[in-house]
Amino acid sequence: MPFVYMLRCADGSYYVGSTRNLEARLFQHNHAVEDACLYTRSRRPVELVWHEEVENVGLAYGLEKQIQGWGRKKREALIRGDFELLPLLSSRRGGRPRPT
């Protein structure tokens, strides 16, 4: 089954990804030298702080892209499991209020 995951890097930044083999991917992020780990290679060690198993690769990729668009506070709410805060931490670009 595919996973979506979030890592906390040594510099405090977060990395969001998806994979079919979470254990192998974590090893790559912390040890591999290939370009697939370009972001995390210079920010080691990395720590797994959140993951979710999903039904298929398409859902994993979509959720990965969604979380990548989130701000830091919203990502940290997800890590803590504060799911009720997620809608409150959503922001709209452009500054216009949401229609009611």
Side-chain angles (χ1 to χ4, degrees):
M1 297 292 281
F3 292 89
V4 181
Y5 62 93
M6 193 176 338
L7 307 174
R8 182 179 298 117
C9 301
D11 67 357
S13 65
Y14 292 108
Y15 175 88
V16 180
S18 59
T19 185
R20 290 184 180 181
N21 187 333
L22 187 57
E23 187 175 321
R25 190 66 177 124
L26 291 174
F27 182 86
Q28 288 175 333
H29 280 296
N30 272 312
H31 303 287
V33 294
E34 66 262 6
D35 287 343
C37 302
L38 195 57
Y39 183 83
T40 57
R41 186 169 55 196
S42 63
R43 293 169 172 85
R44 292 178 180 155
V46 299
E47 170 191 13
L48 179 67
V49 292
W50 176 85
H51 70 280
E52 183 77 31
E53 188 174 13
V54 295
E55 292 182 25
N56 61 59
V57 172
L59 288 173
Y61 183 75
L63 186 54
E64 171 189 351
K65 293 303 170 192
Q66 180 181 12
I67 296 170
Q68 285 175 347
W70 292 359
R72 183 175 188 86
K73 288 182 181 182
K74 192 168 182 177
R75 289 181 185 193
E76 289 175 344
L78 178 64
I79 293 166
R80 289 189 311 270
D82 288 339
F83 304 117
E84 68 281 354
L85 286 179
L86 297 179
L88 301 173
L89 294 170
S90 297
S91 62
R92 288 177 50 93
R93 291 186 170 91
R96 286 178 276 167
R98 294 176 186 233
T100 56

